[in-house]
Amino acid sequence: MYEADDKMISLIRDNYDLLQMLGSFGISLGFGDKTVRETCEDNNVDTYTFLAVVNFTINGYGDFEGDEQLSVPTLLHYLEASHAYFLDFQLPYIRRELQESIDERESLAKLILRFYDEYAHEIRRHMKYEQKTLFPYVESLIEGRPAIDYNVETFSKHHGAADKKLRELKLLIIKYLPQDGQHNNQLTATLHDIYENEVWLRQHAMVEDHIFVPAIRRLEQMTKQSDVARNISDMVFKAGSGQSSDSLSDREKDVIVALVQGMSNKEIADHLCISVNTVITHRRNIARKLQIHSPAGLTIYAIVNNLVDISSVKL
């Protein structure tokens, strides 16, 4: 497991295939002997999230459900940049390699190229869907504007592997396109790159499924709680009851806070150093002033009027 104080150069030296990942995170080369933390901070990248992706990619394990330290903006930037790298560079690059390593005058070679184009089209469709639907949805969550007709589970249920055609392609080449001399070397190099891309796609899908999706689930939950708070506020202030926390005495506010925290009349009396009868009187006055008689209603009132923090209340 790599940590924040490890040298970035050590990480790359041990795992050269992480070089492309640096670019997707927006980390430039030329970091000298700086640590992972220093390099991430220089490039405005969340160190914890960077290491989570790196260690997961290298070791293939990790539980990120409910992980509060993951930065969703960092993950989103990483995935968007990864898509751009694969669609704009890697797919066209491999096709050029394939063209140079086979004889397009042969019927079988033409079919291989057509097969590759079908594969590239499927990958583009898969990634374009994420760019058009999932990524804007996540941006809306980050901005506190959740969509009502979409959630990350919708994406997760339909997020299958898109690299089946790639596996078929490399097997077809190995079985049916034997070449001699220079073309054989070119074809071998192309096959190596196809294998590397198969690994890359698998790792990319795993990062989405095991890190990105859990992080979005948590963001959805946080946004949902924020929506509850906003709805509570709108509901109370639109009610036009004319009542405010100013109409209560300080002692009555203390009683409300204690009630929201789940204290009984006896516990409130002990806590405030008053009698149980006095607590009952305060509660009667609170209900009369606010026209609120339930614990849930008092909880709403306490949140809206900043008597308690919403984060301390189970909604």
Side-chain angles (χ1 to χ4, degrees):
M1 295 288 288
Y2 290 97
E3 299 180 353
D5 292 329
D6 290 333
K7 299 288 187 182
M8 181 67 85
I9 189 64
S10 299
L11 187 151
I12 301 303
R13 184 185 59 225
D14 297 342
N15 309 274
Y16 70 89
D17 53 340
L18 297 180
L19 277 170
Q20 186 275 323
M21 182 181 293
L22 292 183
S24 293
F25 272 108
I27 295 177
S28 303
L29 299 180
F31 38 73
D33 289 319
K34 291 182 179 178
T35 64
V36 171
R37 178 185 290 108
E38 290 169 337
T39 306
C40 287
E41 290 176 351
D42 287 347
N43 292 273
N44 298 313
V45 175
D46 181 73
T47 305
Y48 179 86
T49 305
F50 172 78
L51 284 172
V53 174
V54 166
N55 286 316
F56 177 76
T57 300
I58 294 172
N59 299 310
Y61 60 84
D63 183 7
F64 300 97
E65 291 290 345
D67 193 330
E68 299 181 1
Q69 297 185 67
L70 288 172
S71 166
V72 174
T74 296
L75 286 172
L76 181 60
H77 177 273
Y78 166 73
L79 293 176
E80 288 176 328
S82 294
H83 281 201
Y85 161 79
F86 196 79
L87 296 179
D88 300 339
F89 174 75
Q90 200 64 7
L91 283 178
Y93 176 77
I94 290 182
R95 194 187 195 283
R96 289 195 300 271
E97 277 192 308
L98 200 54
Q99 275 184 298
E100 293 172 359
S101 59
I102 62 178
D103 187 349
E104 293 187 65
R105 292 172 297 183
E106 296 181 1
S107 298
L108 187 56
K110 290 180 180 179
L111 288 174
I112 291 292
L113 278 176
R114 183 188 300 174
F115 195 98
Y116 179 82
D117 289 338
E118 291 176 358
Y119 153 74
H121 175 74
E122 184 175 325
I123 291 294
R124 287 187 183 279
R125 181 180 59 81
H126 175 85
M127 290 189 172
K128 290 294 184 183
Y129 164 79
E130 293 182 15
Q131 292 171 340
K132 183 179 179 180
T133 306
L134 177 64
F135 293 168
Y137 168 69
V138 174
E139 289 175 352
S140 72
L141 282 177
I142 293 172
E143 297 171 1
R145 299 180 293 100
I148 60 174
D149 57 349
Y150 190 83
N151 58 51
V152 77
E153 292 306 323
T154 303
F155 162 75
S156 185
K157 289 176 182 177
H158 299 90
H159 186 223
D163 60 348
K164 292 180 180 179
K165 283 187 178 293
L166 190 62
R167 290 196 293 270
E168 293 179 29
L169 176 64
K170 71 179 191 297
L171 291 176
L172 284 173
I173 293 173
I174 293 171
K175 288 182 177 181
Y176 304 117
L177 279 181
Q179 296 287 338
D180 295 322
Q182 180 181 359
H183 283 291
N184 186 272
N185 293 333
Q186 289 178 335
L187 192 59
T188 300
T190 303
L191 274 171
H192 179 270
D193 286 343
I194 291 175
Y195 271 95
E196 288 289 323
N197 274 277
E198 186 179 9
V199 172
W200 185 93
L201 277 173
R202 185 164 57 249
Q203 291 176 340
H204 177 80
M206 289 177 65
V207 168
E208 287 185 326
D209 289 339
H210 295 278
I211 300 181
F212 190 59
V213 169
I216 302 312
R217 284 198 192 103
R218 181 175 177 278
L219 184 58
E220 284 176 337
Q221 186 61 34
M222 291 172 59
T223 305
K224 188 181 299 183
Q225 290 181 349
S226 296
D227 278 349
V228 170
R230 282 194 296 271
N231 291 338
I232 288 172
S233 180
D234 291 343
M235 177 183 68
V236 171
F237 286 111
K238 286 178 181 178
S241 64
Q243 300 295 338
S244 71
S245 59
D246 293 337
S247 65
L248 299 176
S249 68
D250 289 340
R251 182 59 80 191
E252 287 167 342
K253 294 177 185 177
D254 292 338
V255 170
I256 290 178
V257 171
L259 287 169
V260 169
Q261 292 174 344
M263 293 187 189
S264 66
N265 287 346
K266 177 67 167 61
E267 289 171 331
I268 295 173
D270 294 340
H271 176 65
L272 299 179
C273 299
I274 56 179
S275 68
V276 172
N277 286 337
T278 301
V279 172
I280 294 173
T281 299
H282 283 315
R283 293 190 63 171
R284 188 180 299 117
N285 290 336
I286 290 168
R288 176 179 53 80
K289 290 180 179 181
L290 301 181
Q291 292 299 302
I292 297 174
H293 304 275
S294 69
L298 287 176
T299 299
I300 292 173
Y301 177 87
I303 292 172
V304 172
N305 288 281
N306 298 315
L307 298 183
V308 297
D309 189 280
I310 190 172
S311 63
S312 66
V313 178
K314 291 185 178 180
L315 299 175

